Amino acid sequence: MSHHRLIDSHIHLWPAAEANADQHAWMKNHPLAKRYSIEDYLDATGESTHGPIEDRQLKGFVYVETDRRLVHEEAENNLEAWTTKTLDELRWLRRIVESKAQAGEGHGENGSRLLLAIVAWAPIHKGPERFSQYVELARDVAGPDTFARIKAFRFLLQPITDETKFREVALAEQTIQTLKGFKRNGNDFAFDVGVDQRSGGVWQLEQAVEMIEKVHAGEDSNDKVTFVLNHLCKPDLENSPQSSEQLENLSRWKTCIQRFASLDNVYMKLSGAFSELPDQDAKHPLSVNQIVQQMKPWLDILFANFSPERIMFGSNWPVDNIRGPGDRLAWMNWKLAVERILHQYSLSDEAKDRIWYGTAKEAYRIDLA
Protein backbone atom coordinates (compact mmCIF):
# COMPACT_ATOMS: atom_id res chain seq x y z
CA MET A 1 0.00 0.00 0.00
CA SER A 2 1.35 3.41 -0.93
CA HIS A 3 1.72 6.20 1.63
CA HIS A 4 1.07 9.34 -0.38
CA ARG A 5 -0.16 12.48 1.36
CA LEU A 6 -3.90 12.86 0.99
CA ILE A 7 -6.72 15.40 1.22
CA ASP A 8 -10.19 13.89 1.06
CA SER A 9 -12.07 16.44 -1.01
CA HIS A 10 -15.60 15.29 -0.22
CA ILE A 11 -16.99 14.04 3.09
CA HIS A 12 -20.17 14.60 5.08
CA LEU A 13 -20.59 14.62 8.85
CA TRP A 14 -23.40 15.24 11.33
CA PRO A 15 -23.91 14.86 15.08
CA ALA A 16 -26.40 12.36 16.47
CA ALA A 17 -28.68 15.17 17.66
CA GLU A 18 -29.11 16.40 14.07
CA ALA A 19 -29.28 13.01 12.34
CA ASN A 20 -33.04 13.18 11.86
CA ALA A 21 -35.78 14.30 9.49
CA ASP A 22 -36.22 17.59 11.34
CA GLN A 23 -32.73 18.67 10.24
CA HIS A 24 -32.48 16.58 7.06
CA ALA A 25 -35.76 15.85 5.28
CA TRP A 26 -34.08 12.99 3.41
CA MET A 27 -33.18 11.17 6.66
CA LYS A 28 -36.69 9.88 7.35
CA ASN A 29 -36.27 6.12 7.89
CA HIS A 30 -32.81 6.33 6.32
CA PRO A 31 -29.81 4.12 7.21
CA LEU A 32 -27.59 7.20 7.51
CA ALA A 33 -29.77 8.66 10.28
CA LYS A 34 -27.15 8.19 12.99
CA ARG A 35 -23.98 9.95 14.10
CA TYR A 36 -21.14 10.28 11.60
CA SER A 37 -18.36 12.15 13.35
CA ILE A 38 -14.69 12.90 12.81
CA GLU A 39 -13.87 10.05 15.18
CA ASP A 40 -16.05 7.71 13.11
CA TYR A 41 -14.42 8.96 9.92
CA LEU A 42 -10.90 8.41 11.23
CA ASP A 43 -11.88 4.92 12.31
CA ALA A 44 -13.09 4.20 8.75
CA THR A 45 -9.87 5.51 7.22
CA GLY A 46 -7.66 3.48 9.52
CA GLU A 47 -5.79 6.64 10.51
CA SER A 48 -4.32 6.64 14.01
CA THR A 49 -5.76 9.29 16.29
CA HIS A 50 -2.46 9.45 18.18
CA GLY A 51 0.81 11.12 17.31
CA PRO A 52 1.52 14.32 15.39
CA ILE A 53 -0.92 15.10 12.60
CA GLU A 54 2.07 15.94 10.39
CA ASP A 55 3.05 12.26 10.44
CA ARG A 56 -0.30 11.08 9.11
CA GLN A 57 -0.99 10.27 5.49
CA LEU A 58 -4.40 11.94 5.71
CA LYS A 59 -3.74 15.67 6.02
CA GLY A 60 -7.40 16.55 6.31
CA PHE A 61 -10.71 16.78 4.51
CA VAL A 62 -13.15 19.10 2.81
CA TYR A 63 -16.55 19.11 4.50
CA VAL A 64 -19.48 19.36 2.07
CA GLU A 65 -22.92 20.56 3.15
CA THR A 66 -25.49 17.85 3.84
CA ASP A 67 -28.66 19.18 2.21
CA ARG A 68 -30.27 20.43 5.41
CA ARG A 69 -34.01 20.97 5.45
CA LEU A 70 -35.43 24.39 4.56
CA VAL A 71 -38.64 25.44 6.24
CA HIS A 72 -41.58 25.96 3.90
CA GLU A 73 -41.35 28.54 1.16
CA GLU A 74 -43.62 31.10 2.78
CA ALA A 75 -40.93 31.69 5.40
CA GLU A 76 -38.46 32.91 2.77
CA ASN A 77 -39.10 36.57 3.60
CA ASN A 78 -37.49 35.86 6.96
CA LEU A 79 -34.14 34.63 5.73
CA GLU A 80 -32.88 33.50 9.13
CA ALA A 81 -36.04 31.50 9.81
CA TRP A 82 -36.05 29.95 6.32
CA THR A 83 -32.42 28.80 6.63
CA THR A 84 -32.36 27.96 10.32
CA LYS A 85 -31.28 24.35 9.67
CA THR A 86 -28.40 25.29 7.36
CA LEU A 87 -27.32 27.80 10.00
CA ASP A 88 -27.45 25.01 12.59
CA GLU A 89 -24.97 23.19 10.38
CA LEU A 90 -22.61 26.17 10.57
CA ARG A 91 -23.06 26.37 14.35
CA TRP A 92 -22.04 22.73 14.62
CA LEU A 93 -19.02 23.25 12.35
CA ARG A 94 -18.04 26.20 14.52
CA ARG A 95 -17.95 23.88 17.54
CA ILE A 96 -15.53 21.66 15.62
CA VAL A 97 -13.29 24.54 14.57
CA GLU A 98 -13.27 26.05 18.05
CA SER A 99 -12.84 22.63 19.75
CA LYS A 100 -16.03 23.07 21.79
CA ALA A 101 -17.62 19.67 21.34
CA GLN A 102 -20.90 18.89 23.03
CA ALA A 103 -21.24 15.50 24.70
CA GLY A 104 -21.08 12.64 22.21
CA GLU A 105 -20.38 14.72 19.10
CA GLY A 106 -17.11 12.91 18.43
CA HIS A 107 -14.94 15.71 17.08
CA GLY A 108 -11.86 13.85 18.22
CA GLU A 109 -8.34 14.93 18.91
CA ASN A 110 -7.09 17.35 16.23
CA GLY A 111 -10.57 17.49 14.67
CA SER A 112 -10.27 21.21 14.05
CA ARG A 113 -6.95 20.80 12.26
CA LEU A 114 -8.36 18.11 9.98
CA LEU A 115 -11.26 20.32 8.83
CA LEU A 116 -9.36 22.10 6.05
CA ALA A 117 -12.21 23.63 4.06
CA ILE A 118 -15.99 23.89 4.06
CA VAL A 119 -18.41 23.77 1.13
CA ALA A 120 -21.47 25.43 2.65
CA TRP A 121 -25.04 25.65 1.41
CA ALA A 122 -26.24 28.90 -0.18
CA PRO A 123 -29.40 30.05 -1.99
CA ILE A 124 -27.82 30.81 -5.37
CA HIS A 125 -31.24 30.69 -7.02
CA LYS A 126 -32.59 33.69 -5.11
CA GLY A 127 -30.42 36.35 -6.72
CA PRO A 128 -27.28 38.30 -5.76
CA GLU A 129 -28.89 40.41 -3.04
CA ARG A 130 -30.35 37.42 -1.22
CA PHE A 131 -27.06 35.54 -1.57
CA SER A 132 -25.14 38.47 -0.07
CA GLN A 133 -27.59 38.67 2.82
CA TYR A 134 -27.16 34.97 3.49
CA VAL A 135 -23.36 35.21 3.36
CA GLU A 136 -23.44 37.95 6.02
CA LEU A 137 -25.80 35.87 8.13
CA ALA A 138 -23.46 32.88 7.73
CA ARG A 139 -20.49 35.04 8.66
CA ASP A 140 -22.15 36.08 11.92
CA VAL A 141 -23.27 32.56 12.83
CA ALA A 142 -20.01 30.83 11.90
CA GLY A 143 -17.65 33.31 13.51
CA PRO A 144 -14.40 34.48 11.90
CA ASP A 145 -12.35 31.28 12.19
CA THR A 146 -15.03 28.99 10.77
CA PHE A 147 -16.16 31.44 8.08
CA ALA A 148 -12.55 31.68 6.89
CA ARG A 149 -12.72 27.96 6.08
CA ILE A 150 -15.77 28.37 3.83
CA LYS A 151 -14.06 28.15 0.45
CA ALA A 152 -17.09 27.20 -1.65
CA PHE A 153 -20.83 26.92 -1.70
CA ARG A 154 -23.17 24.26 -3.02
CA PHE A 155 -26.83 24.25 -3.97
CA LEU A 156 -27.74 20.77 -5.13
CA LEU A 157 -29.21 20.79 -8.62
CA GLN A 158 -29.53 17.02 -9.00
CA PRO A 159 -32.89 16.65 -7.17
CA ILE A 160 -34.56 18.83 -9.82
CA THR A 161 -35.64 16.09 -12.21
CA ASP A 162 -38.01 18.21 -14.31
CA GLU A 163 -35.97 19.58 -17.22
CA THR A 164 -37.93 22.82 -17.48
CA LYS A 165 -37.70 23.55 -13.76
CA PHE A 166 -33.99 22.73 -13.79
CA ARG A 167 -33.43 25.27 -16.55
CA GLU A 168 -35.50 27.85 -14.68
CA VAL A 169 -33.12 27.49 -11.72
CA ALA A 170 -29.71 26.79 -13.25
CA LEU A 171 -29.94 29.17 -16.19
CA ALA A 172 -32.00 31.94 -14.65
CA GLU A 173 -30.32 35.34 -14.93
CA GLN A 174 -30.43 35.78 -11.15
CA THR A 175 -28.56 32.49 -10.71
CA ILE A 176 -25.94 33.47 -13.29
CA GLN A 177 -25.42 36.86 -11.68
CA THR A 178 -25.22 35.31 -8.21
CA LEU A 179 -22.50 32.93 -9.37
CA LYS A 180 -20.60 35.73 -11.11
CA GLY A 181 -20.59 37.44 -7.72
CA PHE A 182 -18.51 34.61 -6.27
CA LYS A 183 -15.47 36.48 -7.65
CA ARG A 184 -16.67 40.04 -7.11
CA ASN A 185 -16.76 42.57 -4.26
CA GLY A 186 -13.87 40.93 -2.49
CA ASN A 187 -15.35 37.42 -2.70
CA ASP A 188 -13.37 34.40 -3.83
CA PHE A 189 -15.66 31.40 -3.54
CA ALA A 190 -15.85 28.25 -5.65
CA PHE A 191 -19.11 26.49 -6.51
CA ASP A 192 -19.58 22.74 -6.16
CA VAL A 193 -21.78 21.35 -8.94
CA GLY A 194 -24.02 18.43 -8.00
CA VAL A 195 -25.72 16.92 -11.05
CA ASP A 196 -26.79 13.34 -11.71
CA GLN A 197 -26.67 11.65 -15.09
CA ARG A 198 -27.94 8.28 -13.85
CA SER A 199 -30.96 9.32 -11.78
CA GLY A 200 -31.67 12.74 -13.24
CA GLY A 201 -30.62 12.56 -16.87
CA VAL A 202 -27.67 13.56 -18.99
CA TRP A 203 -29.50 16.78 -19.80
CA GLN A 204 -28.58 17.94 -16.28
CA LEU A 205 -24.92 17.92 -17.33
CA GLU A 206 -25.71 19.69 -20.59
CA GLN A 207 -27.48 22.50 -18.77
CA ALA A 208 -24.73 22.67 -16.13
CA VAL A 209 -22.16 23.22 -18.90
CA GLU A 210 -24.31 26.00 -20.28
CA MET A 211 -24.58 27.54 -16.80
CA ILE A 212 -20.80 27.63 -16.37
CA GLU A 213 -20.33 29.05 -19.86
CA LYS A 214 -22.75 31.86 -19.03
CA VAL A 215 -21.05 32.58 -15.70
CA HIS A 216 -17.64 32.79 -17.37
CA ALA A 217 -18.85 34.80 -20.38
CA GLY A 218 -17.23 38.22 -20.59
CA GLU A 219 -14.96 37.64 -17.59
CA ASP A 220 -11.17 37.99 -17.61
CA SER A 221 -9.31 34.79 -16.79
CA ASN A 222 -8.55 36.01 -13.25
CA ASP A 223 -12.23 36.74 -12.63
CA LYS A 224 -13.65 33.39 -13.73
CA VAL A 225 -15.33 31.50 -10.91
CA THR A 226 -13.97 28.08 -9.97
CA PHE A 227 -16.40 25.17 -10.42
CA VAL A 228 -15.87 21.74 -8.85
CA LEU A 229 -17.85 18.90 -10.39
CA ASN A 230 -18.95 16.30 -7.86
CA HIS A 231 -18.73 12.51 -8.34
CA LEU A 232 -17.93 12.36 -12.08
CA CYS A 233 -21.41 13.88 -12.47
CA LYS A 234 -22.85 10.53 -11.28
CA PRO A 235 -22.81 8.43 -14.48
CA ASP A 236 -24.61 5.10 -14.79
CA LEU A 237 -21.75 2.90 -13.59
CA GLU A 238 -24.15 0.12 -12.67
CA ASN A 239 -24.63 -0.98 -16.26
CA SER A 240 -21.92 -1.54 -18.83
CA PRO A 241 -22.98 0.49 -21.89
CA GLN A 242 -24.42 -1.98 -24.39
CA SER A 243 -27.92 -0.92 -25.43
CA SER A 244 -28.43 1.91 -27.88
CA GLU A 245 -29.80 4.11 -25.08
CA GLN A 246 -26.82 3.38 -22.82
CA LEU A 247 -24.37 4.05 -25.61
CA GLU A 248 -26.13 7.31 -26.46
CA ASN A 249 -25.98 8.41 -22.80
CA LEU A 250 -22.29 7.56 -22.65
CA SER A 251 -21.70 9.56 -25.82
CA ARG A 252 -23.58 12.56 -24.44
CA TRP A 253 -21.75 12.23 -21.10
CA LYS A 254 -18.46 12.22 -23.04
CA THR A 255 -19.45 15.37 -24.93
CA CYS A 256 -20.29 17.10 -21.63
CA ILE A 257 -16.99 16.04 -20.07
CA GLN A 258 -15.15 17.43 -23.09
CA ARG A 259 -17.05 20.71 -22.80
CA PHE A 260 -16.41 20.95 -19.06
CA ALA A 261 -12.73 20.27 -19.64
CA SER A 262 -12.52 23.01 -22.27
CA LEU A 263 -13.50 25.63 -19.69
CA ASP A 264 -11.13 27.42 -17.34
CA ASN A 265 -11.19 26.76 -13.60
CA VAL A 266 -13.29 23.59 -13.77
CA TYR A 267 -12.23 20.62 -11.65
CA MET A 268 -13.56 17.06 -11.28
CA LYS A 269 -13.88 14.93 -8.16
CA LEU A 270 -12.93 11.29 -8.57
CA SER A 271 -15.54 10.30 -6.02
CA GLY A 272 -19.02 8.95 -5.50
CA ALA A 273 -18.57 5.81 -7.58
CA PHE A 274 -19.95 3.38 -5.00
CA SER A 275 -23.31 5.16 -5.14
CA GLU A 276 -23.52 4.46 -8.89
CA LEU A 277 -21.87 1.00 -9.15
CA PRO A 278 -23.84 -2.20 -8.52
CA ASP A 279 -24.91 -2.71 -4.91
CA GLN A 280 -22.31 -4.25 -2.62
CA ASP A 281 -22.35 -5.59 0.89
CA ALA A 282 -19.68 -6.12 3.49
CA LYS A 283 -19.64 -9.89 2.97
CA HIS A 284 -19.38 -9.70 -0.82
CA PRO A 285 -17.69 -6.43 -1.84
CA LEU A 286 -16.56 -5.85 -5.39
CA SER A 287 -12.87 -6.50 -5.88
CA VAL A 288 -10.57 -3.67 -6.88
CA ASN A 289 -10.29 -5.22 -10.33
CA GLN A 290 -14.07 -5.41 -10.69
CA ILE A 291 -14.47 -1.76 -9.68
CA VAL A 292 -11.84 -0.52 -12.13
CA GLN A 293 -13.09 -2.68 -14.97
CA GLN A 294 -16.71 -1.61 -14.46
CA MET A 295 -15.67 2.06 -14.49
CA LYS A 296 -13.28 1.81 -17.43
CA PRO A 297 -15.46 3.36 -20.20
CA TRP A 298 -15.96 6.48 -18.09
CA LEU A 299 -12.41 6.59 -16.72
CA ASP A 300 -10.99 6.44 -20.25
CA ILE A 301 -13.00 9.55 -21.11
CA LEU A 302 -12.11 11.32 -17.86
CA PHE A 303 -8.34 10.87 -18.21
CA ALA A 304 -8.41 11.71 -21.91
CA ASN A 305 -9.90 15.11 -21.14
CA PHE A 306 -9.02 16.17 -17.59
CA SER A 307 -5.38 16.34 -16.60
CA PRO A 308 -4.34 15.22 -13.09
CA GLU A 309 -4.00 18.91 -12.21
CA ARG A 310 -7.81 19.10 -12.45
CA ILE A 311 -8.84 15.81 -10.80
CA MET A 312 -9.09 15.29 -7.03
CA PHE A 313 -9.69 12.29 -4.80
CA GLY A 314 -12.86 12.24 -2.72
CA SER A 315 -14.52 9.51 -0.68
CA ASN A 316 -18.13 10.75 -0.43
CA TRP A 317 -18.08 9.22 3.06
CA PRO A 318 -20.48 8.12 4.50
CA VAL A 319 -22.99 8.35 1.63
CA ASP A 320 -21.06 5.82 -0.45
CA ASN A 321 -21.18 3.36 2.44
CA ILE A 322 -24.81 2.55 1.62
CA ARG A 323 -24.47 1.01 -1.84
CA GLY A 324 -20.79 0.39 -1.13
CA PRO A 325 -19.54 -2.29 1.27
CA GLY A 326 -20.64 -0.59 4.48
CA ASP A 327 -19.24 1.73 7.12
CA ARG A 328 -16.19 -0.38 7.90
CA LEU A 329 -14.94 -1.10 4.36
CA ALA A 330 -16.18 1.58 1.96
CA TRP A 331 -13.54 4.27 2.52
CA MET A 332 -10.55 1.96 2.37
CA ASN A 333 -11.88 -0.05 -0.58
CA TRP A 334 -12.40 3.14 -2.60
CA LYS A 335 -8.91 4.36 -1.75
CA LEU A 336 -7.47 1.03 -2.94
CA ALA A 337 -9.51 1.30 -6.14
CA VAL A 338 -8.19 4.80 -6.82
CA GLU A 339 -4.64 3.61 -6.24
CA ARG A 340 -5.23 0.94 -8.89
CA ILE A 341 -6.83 3.45 -11.25
CA LEU A 342 -3.88 5.83 -11.04
CA HIS A 343 -1.47 2.95 -11.62
CA GLN A 344 -3.49 1.66 -14.57
CA TYR A 345 -3.34 5.05 -16.29
CA SER A 346 0.45 5.15 -15.80
CA LEU A 347 0.52 8.42 -13.91
CA SER A 348 3.79 9.79 -12.58
CA ASP A 349 4.31 10.25 -8.85
CA GLU A 350 3.84 13.98 -9.34
CA ALA A 351 0.55 13.46 -11.16
CA LYS A 352 -0.65 11.06 -8.49
CA ASP A 353 0.20 13.63 -5.81
CA ARG A 354 -1.97 16.17 -7.60
CA ILE A 355 -4.99 13.86 -7.52
CA TRP A 356 -4.48 12.74 -3.92
CA TYR A 357 -3.52 16.14 -2.54
CA GLY A 358 -2.55 19.06 -4.73
CA THR A 359 -5.68 19.58 -6.79
CA ALA A 360 -7.99 19.88 -3.78
CA LYS A 361 -5.47 22.16 -2.08
CA GLU A 362 -5.48 24.44 -5.14
CA ALA A 363 -9.19 24.39 -5.96
CA TYR A 364 -10.25 25.12 -2.37
CA ARG A 365 -7.35 27.49 -1.61
CA ILE A 366 -6.25 25.39 1.36
CA ASP A 367 -3.35 26.83 3.29
CA LEU A 368 -1.07 23.98 4.34
CA ALA A 369 2.66 24.21 5.01
Side-chain angles (χ1 to χ4, degrees):
M1 185 182 298
S2 60
H3 292 282
H4 38 73
R5 56 185 179 170
L6 187 154
I7 293 174
D8 189 340
S9 72
H10 199 107
I11 80 164
H12 306 286
L13 303 166
W14 43 79
E18 297 175 7
N20 52 56
D22 178 61
Q23 285 283 337
H24 301 84
W26 57 269
M27 277 193 184
K28 185 176 182 180
N29 300 319
H30 197 284
L32 290 177
K34 59 182 180 178
R35 188 190 86 166
Y36 283 96
S37 69
I38 293 177
E39 289 179 353
D40 300 323
Y41 172 72
L42 289 175
D43 185 59
T45 68
E47 284 279 352
S48 170
T49 58
H50 304 289
I53 197 169
E54 293 80 7
D55 294 342
R56 300 179 188 173
Q57 179 184 25
L58 177 67
K59 302 307 179 185
F61 57 80
V62 178
Y63 173 90
V64 179
E65 63 88 22
T66 58
D67 197 21
R68 296 273 181 140
R69 185 174 68 84
L70 298 171
V71 301
H72 33 75
E73 291 286 317
E74 51 264 35
E76 280 186 39
N77 288 335
N78 184 334
L79 184 61
E80 187 169 4
W82 182 51
T83 60
T84 184
K85 309 302 183 183
T86 69
L87 295 173
D88 283 344
E89 183 174 33
L90 295 179
R91 293 182 183 99
W92 172 67
L93 291 169
R94 181 174 183 170
R95 295 199 295 275
I96 295 176
V97 171
E98 297 179 358
S99 299
K100 296 179 179 178
Q102 295 180 357
E105 287 191 332
H107 298 180
E109 180 187 1
N110 288 321
S112 177
R113 294 182 64 187
L114 288 167
L115 176 53
L116 301 178
I118 296 167
V119 179
W121 178 90
I124 64 160
H125 59 314
K126 297 300 181 181
E129 182 178 359
R130 206 63 163 158
F131 171 75
S132 295
Q133 291 169 350
Y134 182 77
V135 168
E136 290 310 306
L137 192 56
R139 189 191 306 273
D140 291 341
V141 167
D145 292 343
T146 304
F147 188 82
R149 301 194 200 190
I150 297 178
K151 306 296 186 177
F153 290 99
R154 187 173 79 156
F155 177 86
L156 271 179
L157 296 168
Q158 65 197 45
I160 309 173
T161 55
D162 180 275
E163 192 168 351
T164 299
K165 291 180 180 178
F166 190 102
R167 175 172 288 274
E168 289 173 351
V169 171
L171 296 174
E173 185 61 21
Q174 61 184 7
T175 300
I176 302 303
Q177 291 304 317
T178 300
L179 290 171
K180 281 180 176 288
F182 277 35
K183 288 281 283 188
R184 293 177 177 170
N185 302 318
N187 292 332
D188 192 5
F189 298 120
F191 182 71
D192 264 46
V193 181
V195 290
D196 188 337
Q197 184 255 304
R198 184 169 76 93
S199 298
V202 71
W203 55 264
Q204 288 195 352
L205 283 68
E206 292 164 346
Q207 291 195 25
V209 173
E210 189 176 348
M211 178 185 74
I212 296 174
E213 290 172 341
K214 288 179 177 291
V215 173
H216 281 181
E219 303 292 345
D220 294 335
S221 58
N222 291 335
D223 295 327
K224 290 182 177 178
V225 175
T226 293
F227 289 87
V228 182
L229 304 170
N230 294 180
H231 310 328
L232 305 174
C233 301
K234 299 175 74 68
D236 183 9
L237 303 177
E238 185 169 3
N239 300 296
S240 298
Q242 295 177 346
S243 71
S244 57
E245 181 181 3
Q246 290 167 345
L247 290 169
E248 179 187 1
N249 282 335
L250 178 62
S251 177
R252 289 171 66 187
W253 184 86
K254 176 181 179 179
T255 298
C256 290
I257 296 304
Q258 291 171 332
R259 290 176 65 191
F260 282 129
S262 73
L263 300 170
D264 296 333
N265 300 347
V266 176
Y267 298 87
M268 177 68 81
K269 289 184 180 179
L270 182 54
S271 62
F274 283 173
S275 292
E276 313 307 323
L277 285 162
D279 262 332
Q280 306 178 58
D281 63 62
K283 293 182 179 179
H284 304 96
L286 294 173
S287 70
V288 168
N289 284 339
Q290 287 174 314
I291 294 167
V292 177
Q293 186 60 35
Q294 186 74 10
M295 293 181 67
K296 188 177 186 303
W298 294 271
L299 292 172
D300 285 349
I301 294 167
L302 173 68
F303 284 100
N305 291 280
F306 276 83
S307 70
E309 290 76 19
R310 301 173 69 189
I311 301 171
M312 66 186 80
F313 167 82
S315 69
N316 197 28
W317 189 91
V319 175
D320 270 18
N321 301 1
I322 302 302
R323 283 176 60 95
D327 288 351
R328 188 175 65 86
L329 295 177
W331 194 94
M332 189 60 69
N333 283 19
W334 177 240
K335 178 174 174 285
L336 292 171
V338 173
E339 287 176 350
R340 180 67 59 83
I341 289 167
L342 303 190
H343 174 75
Q344 182 165 308
Y345 286 88
S346 303
L347 299 187
S348 67
D349 288 344
E350 182 180 4
K352 291 176 183 178
D353 184 63
R354 280 292 305 198
I355 292 174
W356 289 117
Y357 175 83
T359 301
K361 182 175 183 291
E362 175 182 286
Y364 290 116
R365 299 181 296 107
I366 295 170
D367 183 16
L368 278 173

